[in-house]
Amino acid sequence: DVTQAHNYNTLILSEKQNSDKLLETILPPSLVGRVQQGEKNISLSVQSASILFSDIVSFTPWCGSLPAEKVMSTLNILFKRMDSILDTKPTMTKIKCIGDCYMAAGGIFAEINQPALHAQEVVSFGLLSIKEILNINKEIHENLRIRVGVNTGGPIVAGVLGIGKPTFEIIGPAINLAQQMEQNGIPMKVHISNSVYELICGFNFKFSNRRTIECKNEKVETYLVEP
């Protein structure tokens, strides 16, 4: 039965295309082909990367006071807008979203690693995200605020974990410090480490409030970047 065989093959092709599209939303484009070819150990070492964490201030009480549909629709709007901003930054890659936390990095797949360039792009992304949350607040009549933290450092280990449900992960001490920048940050400002400051201080950013925070029993110098 040629018709049945044709319909079966068409269905298989359609499902494969859907699977490929889904994979492209999960993994960086440069790694999708390697996963499709059955490569099991996909990893790379990155000399330097700029890592960003962003989350919503007082998210837990805000989330608990609203219907689930409102919470999810708001997060969906925010993350879509942030994805659109990220698409304008050539060095940047979205890593993941965990609850209200948005994680991204610059320099992971750069052919020529330029720390000053990806640090500048990641800080700019943070500032534009702060501006966008103000626009969203006007649209949905909310008063949401975000904290943004950025650190540049390395080396970073990156790669794909898992087979049936693969995820792209980055690992290294520089990531932990970026998370500390966010957790110790000031709402609606970008909190950066000293390494980021040294890379971008010559660019057109407005810095304020040099600070010292404690991270794993060490004093760390940080700065705030104003929108």
Side-chain angles (χ1 to χ4, degrees):
D1 188 338
V2 176
T3 302
Q4 185 176 0
H6 173 75
N7 290 341
Y8 178 76
N9 289 334
T10 301
L11 179 63
I12 292 294
L13 178 61
S14 176
E15 288 301 316
K16 184 180 184 304
Q17 289 173 340
N18 290 337
S19 176
D20 291 348
K21 288 179 181 178
L22 180 61
L23 200 59
E24 288 170 1
T25 66
I26 297 171
L27 300 176
S30 60
L31 300 183
V32 171
R34 295 172 65 177
V35 172
Q36 290 171 333
Q37 292 169 11
E39 198 171 335
K40 296 294 189 295
N41 185 17
I42 301 175
S43 61
L44 58 150
S45 179
V46 183
Q47 179 183 358
S48 172
S50 295
I51 305 97
L52 173 142
F53 284 90
S54 168
D55 78 344
I56 297 174
V57 179
S58 301
F59 175 74
T60 301
W62 176 81
C63 179
S65 66
L66 294 170
E69 182 181 356
K70 172 71 172 178
V71 173
M72 294 306 293
S73 65
T74 302
L75 288 177
N76 199 31
I77 292 169
L78 174 59
F79 291 158
K80 280 183 176 179
R81 301 284 179 88
M82 294 176 79
D83 287 346
S84 296
I85 297 170
L86 186 137
D87 288 341
T88 68
K89 306 296 181 185
T91 72
M92 290 190 67
T93 302
K94 180 180 178 180
I95 306 300
K96 67 175 83 172
C97 293
I98 308 172
D100 65 314
C101 177
Y102 189 101
M103 180 184 179
I108 300 292
F109 295 102
E111 292 184 10
I112 301 175
N113 197 300
Q114 302 177 69
L117 175 60
H118 56 69
Q120 179 192 12
E121 284 201 353
V122 173
V123 172
S124 174
F125 170 86
L127 294 172
L128 290 171
S129 298
I130 291 170
K131 182 178 179 181
E132 195 57 47
I133 197 74
L134 295 174
N135 295 332
I136 292 171
N137 282 336
K138 291 178 183 178
E139 294 171 16
I140 64 174
H141 308 293
E142 286 286 347
N143 190 29
L144 298 174
R145 299 181 301 160
I146 59 174
R147 274 188 306 263
V148 180
V150 180
N151 178 50
T152 299
I156 300 291
V157 175
V160 178
L161 298 179
I163 299 173
K165 194 176 181 181
T167 61
F168 179 71
E169 302 286 347
I170 58 175
I171 302 166
I175 297 154
N176 299 331
L177 186 53
Q179 196 166 27
Q180 289 294 316
M181 292 299 103
E182 180 269 314
Q183 291 174 355
N184 291 278
I186 303 296
M188 305 303 277
K189 296 182 181 180
V190 180
H191 191 204
I192 63 172
S193 65
N194 189 59
S195 62
V196 179
Y197 175 77
E198 290 178 348
L199 289 167
I200 69 169
C201 60
F203 293 100
N204 188 28
F205 291 108
K206 180 182 177 183
F207 302 98
S208 68
N209 294 14
R210 180 177 173 182
R211 312 170 72 211
T212 301
I213 66 169
E214 190 166 314
C215 181
K216 293 188 176 181
N217 300 321
E218 289 185 17
K219 299 292 185 181
V220 179
E221 278 191 358
T222 69
Y223 296 81
L224 294 171
V225 187
E226 301 279 353

